Amino acid sequence: MNVVSNSYTLVKYSYTDAGNYKFYGKFSLSGFFLLTDISSYLIHREYFIPTRIGLPSLVPSPGNSDDHSLHEFMSATDTEMGMADCLMDKKKLINLARTAKNVGWFRNLNSLEFCY
């Protein structure tokens, strides 16, 4: 497959608390991206902590006893335009996920930049 430099991927992710309340977020990556590109670095190949990979947490504030840190990716869709509010290079996302796995997803949660 030919990938052009002006291609983007719209990635959707979610947070579900212990009470089954759901919250949704999305961001754009430059380039072509598949969820399988990152799944081997996720917790149980499915879950991640967004602040470890430069994304905002979807956990509502103030929190309660139903809240935890784990989020999951829902979809990755090719698009021609990126979202200006949170555009990241796919290599950066993959490298951050690799680092989070190697260091430990639950260590130093506040040490990375956020993408607001």
Side-chain angles (χ1 to χ4, degrees):
M1 172 177 218
N2 292 336
V3 178
V4 293
S5 61
N6 62 349
S7 66
Y8 299 94
T9 303
L10 177 65
V11 181
K12 295 181 181 180
Y13 67 111
S14 68
Y15 168 76
T16 305
D17 71 10
N20 207 31
Y21 288 94
K22 299 180 188 312
F23 302 89
Y24 302 96
K26 60 186 175 181
F27 62 96
S28 291
L29 292 175
S30 60
F32 180 75
F33 175 77
L34 296 171
L35 295 179
T36 55
D37 294 339
I38 198 171
S39 63
S40 64
Y41 304 117
L42 304 180
I43 302 163
H44 301 293
R45 301 185 64 87
E46 184 173 6
Y47 302 104
F48 66 97
I49 299 171
T51 55
R52 294 302 310 265
I53 57 175
L55 299 171
S57 174
L58 301 176
V59 177
S61 181
N64 64 44
S65 62
D66 286 344
D67 293 327
H68 54 83
S69 300
L70 301 177
H71 292 58
E72 59 186 313
F73 289 113
M74 298 172 55
S75 65
T77 308
D78 290 341
T79 183
E80 292 181 7
M81 294 186 64
M83 294 170 39
D85 61 336
C86 191
L87 182 62
M88 179 187 306
D89 181 80
K90 73 172 187 171
K91 291 178 184 177
K92 179 179 179 181
L93 178 70
I94 293 168
N95 286 335
L96 288 170
R98 181 183 302 117
T99 299
K101 179 180 181 177
N102 291 339
V103 170
W105 277 98
F106 295 98
R107 296 176 112 186
N108 304 320
L109 291 178
N110 296 321
S111 65
L112 297 177
E113 294 180 11
F114 294 95
C115 185
Y116 290 109

